[in-house]
Amino acid sequence: MKRKAYLFTVSLIVSLLITGCGTTVVENTQNYFAQVGNVMNALKKSGGGEEKEADSAKIPKLAAPADFMVDADGSFSFGAVEGADHYLIYMCAPDAVKDEDDFIYSSDAIYDNGNAECRGKLSDVMNYAYGEYLVKVLAFPALDDTGHDFSPAATASYKITGRMDDPEIAYFWNAFTDTIDIQISNINSYQYEVFPDQVVVTFTNKENTSDVVNVELTDISLDNFSIKTDAVLRGNTYDVTAVAESSSEFVSNASSEVVQVEQNLALGERNVLVDGYSFPEGSNGFARGAGQFPNICESFTPETGGVCGEAIGRSPGGAGDKIELIYTATPIDGADGAIYSYSIEAPGFFPFTGSMSLYADNSLVMLMDGPAGPVQPTQIEGLWFENEDGTYTLCYNPDSVAVIATGE
């Protein structure tokens, strides 16, 4: 039982150490064993075990896995190695024939099960994109085996092709600047297929079908999947479609299906925000140190308050995890000149508090104090509109976000 707990602790730490891409197999394995050595030493000392040292240059390597094969469907097999505790599989460029060459993807540890042969599917041990690869497998001794070094690599070639997904498009119409920001909201799915050469979003004026605007997103990547344009005009209603195109030899469809994004997109004096849209880091408040502001709330009850908007941004790293803040307004005594005033809360890991005022000229101002420390108070301006049912639509202008000087 103690050994199982011990190996579980080491395995947990190792799993955090061996992930990554764009490095070499040798660097990865050397880092693996250097770090594991440190962990092993610490655990042995804390458990009263005897610390053993060995000259790594004199440690015999395990044998390379024999008869390594990868089938067209990604199924792999190789002969088990005597003395091996587990194996790692790396996917590299076809010309990465040396151990010091970079790898693109790596698996988690595949533990030896005592059988004469190891079998599995690449898709079960890692995620990877369409393409052609040189696949490498290495055998590793047990973590507490100081008498053996990891094996040389056994290699096999593998090519995977498939269908390119249809694009999913999200957008934000900023009525304050008459611009629309268009995003590929399923960008993360393309990193495990191919990134399209371009995605073309077509706006066709419903009143004049000869009035067509094509917006092209090119050089698509996890860091580049949106575009802002002023080519579509306020007052028009558009039919919106999108198509992805690729010249990659690894996709079975050079073009995706033409997808319907919106059939009646009316651009007017109010912001328009669709599900799936998110602001990248550094915009609309993130870089200003005061968090993300809302962009629109379509049904706000001014007398009682309540949710006055949601803010959706992306954490650092382009298309990283989304950050969502829900802003709630509670009525308070009116500020000077305001017809309604509220205290504002946005719970989260770093909760935000602030205030909001609505004025008779249909303007609004939200001031957020920030969570703590070096974060400066930040405000956003906007407009409110009364709906037919007596509720208000609150439109916030992301270009108005500004840090408020504190005088300190």
Side-chain angles (χ1 to χ4, degrees), residues 164-175:
M164 175 179 58
D165 276 355
D166 298 338
E168 297 176 11
I169 302 299
Y171 56 86
F172 171 59
W173 165 253
N174 186 344

Side-chain angles (χ1 to χ4, degrees), residues 205-207 211 231-238 264-268:
N205 189 337
K206 300 279 284 188
E207 300 298 323
D211 177 14
V232 292
L233 303 178
R234 178 195 290 251
N236 289 344
T237 299
Y238 292 95
N264 293 285
L265 173 59
L267 304 181

Side-chain angles (χ1 to χ4, degrees), residues 152-209:
T155 63
S157 296
Y158 175 57
K159 180 178 180 179
I160 178 173
T161 62
R163 183 184 181 279
M164 175 179 58
D165 276 355
D166 298 338
E168 297 176 11
I169 302 299
Y171 56 86
F172 171 59
W173 165 253
N174 186 344
F176 296 89
T177 58
D178 284 358
T179 58
I180 191 167
D181 191 18
I182 303 165
Q183 286 181 357
I184 305 171
S185 60
N186 62 331
I187 187 65
N188 284 326
S189 67
Y190 286 123
Q191 69 175 314
Y192 297 120
E193 299 176 356
V194 296
F195 290 109
D197 295 338
Q198 65 176 5
V199 171
V200 181
V201 182
T202 299
F203 295 80
T204 303
N205 189 337
K206 300 279 284 188
E207 300 298 323
N208 178 12
T209 55

Side-chain angles (χ1 to χ4, degrees), residues 263-291:
Q263 289 186 312
N264 293 285
L265 173 59
L267 304 181
E269 62 182 358
R270 305 186 185 192
N271 292 351
V272 180
L273 179 70
V274 299
D275 290 342
Y277 181 89
S278 60
F279 278 88
E281 59 163 319
S283 72
N284 200 20
F286 266 118
R288 313 286 180 107

